[in-house]
């Protein structure tokens, strides 16, 4: 009887721990941080704008990179919901900008390629929003589901602290991986473009060398040709 009761208690503890872990994982997955990345093609001589809604007292981080196109540069402008210009970059290949705190409204992110009349650009940008208002509000709700005082010997605060740490590290890893993918795409474009240039000029140089060799051989043969006729 004691053994059976011990097994039931252990099963109940495991079920409760799994429930709390799942609840916390869903809470953190739908938590305050929003991470959005987008890659688009910016035509030559044009400007593209995107809008991002934020709440009051949030923090927003914007990162962009030009991964393909002649010059690997674009202009970037960040406008507040009131129309105030917060950031203005001219002909840069990448940039990272932070807005803290934000105001309630739509921020406008504009990428400018009007200075290039022939070359289109491929641009990757990422927006990370940290909701400060709900940082401590939504993650405390899962503790209210625990009604028993001593049903589980685990410390709920320690579990939440560890899960928060794991969640932050996963978000940071996702951002770093997205950045590395953008760098890899840009490097691949540069390698392919340089390969084409190297191949083209190698063919030109080879053609010039062959032409010079043929002219030299022809000239040497003409020097040793006896043009005088012997009369008998």
């Amino acid at each position: 009887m004691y053994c059976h009761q011990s097994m039931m208690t252990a099963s109940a503890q495991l079920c409760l721990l799994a429930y709390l872990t799942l609840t916390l994982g869903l809470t953190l997955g739908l938590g305050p941080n929003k991470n959005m990345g987008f890659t688009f093609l910016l035509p030559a001589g044009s400007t593209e704008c995107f809008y991002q809604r934020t709440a009051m007292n949030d923090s927003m981080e914007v990162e962009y990179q030009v991964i393909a196109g002649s010059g690997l540069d674009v202009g970037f402008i960040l406008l507040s919901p009131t129309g105030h210009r917060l950031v203005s970059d001219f002909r840069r290949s990448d940039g990272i900008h932070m807005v803290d705190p934000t105001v309630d409204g739509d921020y406008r992110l504009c990428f400018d390629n009007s200075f290039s009349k022939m070359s289109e650009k491929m641009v990757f940008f990422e927006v990370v929003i940290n909701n400060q208002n709900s940082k401590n509000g939504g993650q405390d709700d899962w503790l209210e589901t625990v009604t028993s005082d001593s049903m589980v010997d685990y410390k709920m605060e320690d579990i939440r602290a560890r899960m928060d740490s794991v969640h932050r590290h996963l978000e940071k890893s996702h951002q770093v991986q997205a950045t590395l993918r953008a760098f890899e795409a840009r490097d691949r474009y540069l390698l392919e473009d340089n390969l084409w240039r190297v191949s083209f000029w190698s063919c030109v140089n080879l053609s010039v060398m062959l032409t010079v060799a043929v002219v030299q051989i022809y000239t040497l043969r003409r020097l040793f040709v006896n043009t005088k006729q012997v009369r008998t």
Side-chain angles (χ1 to χ4, degrees):
M1 182 66 181
Y2 175 79
C3 181
H4 178 72
Q5 184 177 2
S6 176
M7 293 177 59
M8 292 295 294
T9 304
S11 301
Q13 291 179 354
L14 291 176
C15 291
L16 180 59
L17 179 60
Y19 171 74
L20 293 176
T21 304
L22 178 61
T23 305
L24 179 60
L26 292 175
T27 304
L28 292 175
L30 301 175
N33 294 334
K34 298 179 181 179
N35 187 355
M36 292 155 286
F38 187 61
T39 303
F40 69 99
L41 195 63
L42 183 60
S46 64
T47 301
E48 294 286 345
C49 293
F50 301 86
Y51 294 85
Q52 176 61 53
R53 174 171 291 276
T54 61
M56 184 68 69
N57 296 327
D58 287 350
S59 63
M60 179 175 67
E61 180 180 355
V62 181
E63 179 179 1
Y64 69 91
Q65 294 183 34
V66 184
I67 58 179
S70 177
L72 294 177
D73 53 355
V74 293
F76 175 73
I77 298 176
L78 178 61
L79 300 175
S80 66
T82 58
H84 181 66
R85 180 175 295 187
L86 303 177
V87 177
S88 180
D89 294 340
F90 180 69
R91 302 194 69 166
R92 293 188 55 181
S93 60
D94 55 69
I96 301 177
H97 302 285
M98 174 72 72
V99 180
D100 189 13
T102 59
V103 297
D104 190 12
D106 295 329
Y107 283 82
R108 185 165 59 176
L109 294 77
C110 295
F111 297 90
D112 181 26
N113 193 30
S114 59
F115 55 85
S116 179
K117 302 302 181 182
M118 299 181 61
S119 176
E120 59 185 10
K121 309 293 176 59
M122 183 174 293
V123 183
F124 164 79
F125 73 94
E126 186 178 24
V127 179
V128 180
I129 298 177
N130 187 10
N131 192 341
Q132 300 291 342
N133 295 327
S134 61
K135 186 174 182 179
N136 296 324
Q139 298 181 5
D140 291 335
D141 297 338
W142 70 280
L143 290 175
E144 298 177 359
T145 60
V146 181
T147 57
S148 177
D149 295 334
S150 60
M151 188 174 182
V152 182
D153 295 332
Y154 298 100
K155 296 181 180 179
M156 297 298 111
E157 292 294 336
D158 293 342
I159 295 177
R160 188 182 67 170
R162 292 178 181 274
M163 295 296 292
D164 287 343
S165 177
V166 171
H167 180 66
R168 288 193 298 268
H169 284 85
L170 288 176
E171 282 192 336
K172 188 62 178 179
S173 299
H174 178 74
Q175 297 176 20
V176 172
Q177 288 177 357
T179 304
L180 292 177
R181 284 195 297 268
F183 276 118
E184 180 186 359
R186 184 172 65 179
D187 294 341
R188 184 169 58 250
Y189 168 78
L190 289 175
L191 289 174
E192 292 176 353
D193 186 61
N194 292 335
L195 177 62
W196 182 86
R197 293 183 181 181
V198 170
S199 301
F200 173 76
W201 288 111
S202 297
C203 293
V204 172
N205 291 332
L206 181 61
S207 300
V208 171
M209 292 175 61
L210 291 176
T211 303
V212 171
V214 170
V215 171
Q216 288 180 348
I217 294 174
Y218 177 77
T219 304
L220 290 175
R221 292 188 62 182
R222 291 282 296 177
L223 291 176
F224 291 99
V225 171
N226 188 8
T227 58
K228 295 181 180 182
Q229 296 180 356
V230 179
R231 297 181 179 179
T232 57

